[in-house]
Amino acid sequence: MKKNKGRYRNDEEKLEKKASKRKYMSYEDVPLEDYRDEEPIPTDLTKRFLKMFLILFISVVAVLALMNIDKLTPDNIAHWFQYDLLGKSEGDGYPTGFAGSSVSSGNFDLISGVPVYCSDTSIAVLNNNAGILQEVQHSYASPMLSANNSHAIVYNLNATGYTVFKKDSIVRTGSVKKKILSADISSNGIYAILTRSDDYLSRLTVYRTDGLEKYSYSFADYYMNRVSVNKDGSRAVLTGVSARNGGLISVIYVLDFTQDNYMQKYEVEDTFFYDIKYLDNGNAFAAGDESAVFINVNEGSIKPINYNSRTLTSYMIRRDQGAVLSLSLNPDGRSCDIISYNTDGNRDCEISTGKRIISLDIRGNDRAVLTPDSILVFDREGSLKGKADTDTDSRKIVYCDYNSFYVLGKSRISQLNAG
C-alpha cells in the first residue's frame, strides 16, 4: 500500500509540471470569478450610443420641421394627434346616422362652423365630412343644448347636471345644487345657469372659465325661464313670467355683472317668451307666442313686434345676423310669411311663401326655409335663389355655407346643396 501511494503522488506531480508548461489553459481549470476578458467593454458605451441616437433623431426632426414650417399650425398638429395618433375617422360624408335614438330640433346647431348635436344619450361634434371630432356619452334625462360660436353648454333641464365643451374637447362637467331652468355660454367660455331657489323664485349664477362663481342675482317676483349671455360674458338678458289681475305678464331683465341691481327691466303683457338672445352688437331679441320684442340695450328702449293675429310656426335668432320669423294666418301653420330683422332691430324683409314652414335660418342676404319636402332660399327682396329636395322626415336646417345646409332628420344628418 505504501508503494502504491508513492506512485500516485509521483503521477500527480508529473501532471502539475506538464500543466504548468502548457501554453493554453482550459476554462475548466479556471475559477468562475476569473471568467472575464482582459479588456472589458466600457460601461458607459450604451449611454453614449443612446445619446448619439437621440441627437441624430432630434436633428432629423428639426430638419423636417424647418422644411415644413408653414404646415405646423395648431390645427394641423391637432389634426395629426386626433386622426393619425388616436385613429379618429375623417368621415365618409353625409348623410350619417347619429348616436342615440333621437335628437330634438333645439339640440342641433353649429359650433365653430361644424354640426353639434345632443341626443338622448350623447353629445357629438362632427366635421364637414361627417367625421367625429368628439363624442361623449351623458346620462341627462332632459338634455338642452346652447351653443355660442366656439363654446357650448348642455344642461339637464329640471335636474342639476351640465357639461361645457368646445369643438374637440370637454371643458368642464359639473352640477349645481338646485334644478336648472336654463343656461347659456358666451363665446369666451363664461357661462350662466338659471336655477330654482329656496328663498326666491329663481336665481342666476354666472361662472368664470375656471368654473368659479363670478356673479349671482336672485328674482323674487317672476318665474324666470330663459337666459342669454353676451359675447364677452359681461352681461345677460333674461325672460320670466308672472300673473297679474288674472292675466299673463312677462318680464325682460338686462343684467350687468358689475352691478348689484338690474340694469334694465321691461314688462310685456299677454305674451310668453319662448327664447331670447343677446346679439353680438349689444342688442337683444326675444320671440314669444303672441309677439316678439327687440331691445336696444345701449339706448334703454324696447320695440314690440306684433304678429297681427298670425301664428308663429318657427323662428331663428342668430347672434351675428338678427332674427327671422315664420307667421301663418292659419292655425295649422299653412301658407306662411317670413319676416326678418337685423341686429339693429330694423325689418329688412317680408316674404309670402305660400308654404308650411318647419325650420328657418338666416345668413347675410339670404333667408332659408324648410318646407315638408324642400329647402327654399330667398333673398331679401323675395326672389327665389335656390331649392333642394328633402326627405319627408327633415326637421331642422342650419347653414353650412352660402349654398348648402346641414339637415336634421329623424335618424340621420344630411348635407344638401340649394345653390
Side-chain angles (χ1 to χ4, degrees), residues 14 101 189 215 254 279 290 312 315 339 369 383 387-388:
K14 291 178 181 179
S101 60
Y215 173 85
V254 181
L279 306 178
E290 298 293 334
L312 181 71
Y315 68 89
I339 58 174
V369 302
S383 299
K387 179 181 179 180

Side-chain angles (χ1 to χ4, degrees), residues 205-333:
T205 306
V206 182
Y207 298 89
R208 304 185 322 193
T209 56
D210 58 7
L212 298 179
E213 184 175 323
K214 173 180 178 174
Y215 173 85
S216 66
Y217 191 92
S218 298
F219 302 88
D221 301 323
Y222 296 89
Y223 293 93
M224 308 306 292
N225 68 313
R226 299 291 292 181
V227 60
S228 180
V229 185
N230 68 346
K231 65 179 180 179
D232 64 1
S234 61
R235 292 178 178 177
V237 288
L238 303 96
T239 60
V241 67
S242 185
R244 181 180 297 173
N245 301 325
L248 177 73
I249 184 166
S250 291
V251 67
I252 296 173
Y253 278 93
V254 181
L255 301 180
D256 188 303
F257 301 156
T258 63
Q259 301 177 14
D260 294 332
N261 202 2
Y262 60 81
M263 182 178 171
Q264 295 167 25
K265 176 183 174 182
Y266 307 99
E267 292 183 337
V268 181
E269 295 183 352
D270 301 325
T271 290
F272 178 83
F273 289 112
Y274 298 130
D275 199 4
I276 190 168
K277 284 286 189 297
Y278 220 126
L279 306 178
D280 285 348
N281 70 341
N283 297 322
F285 194 95
D289 57 353
E290 298 293 334
S291 65
V293 167
F294 174 81
I295 305 102
N296 190 318
V297 177
N298 294 328
E299 294 181 359
S301 63
I302 185 171
K303 180 169 72 174
I305 298 170
N306 296 318
Y307 295 162
N308 297 323
S309 301
R310 292 175 291 183
T311 300
L312 181 71
T313 66
S314 185
Y315 68 89
M316 174 60 76
I317 309 173
R318 289 292 184 196
R319 303 175 199 254
D320 61 338
Q321 300 284 333
V324 58
L325 311 172
S326 169
L327 302 171
S328 173
L329 286 171
N330 302 292
D332 61 1

Side-chain angles (χ1 to χ4, degrees), residues 374-393:
S374 63
I375 298 173
L376 305 176
V377 181
F378 299 92
D379 61 20
R380 288 175 180 165
E381 288 71 38
S383 299
L384 183 64
K385 294 182 58 178
K387 179 181 179 180
D389 295 332
T390 61
D391 295 332
T392 56
D393 67 349

Side-chain angles (χ1 to χ4, degrees), residues 94-98 391 393 395 407-414:
Y94 293 92
T96 183
F98 49 74
D391 295 332
D393 67 349
R395 293 178 291 146
V407 184
L408 174 67
K410 186 176 181 180
S411 60
R412 63 181 187 172
I413 298 170
S414 304

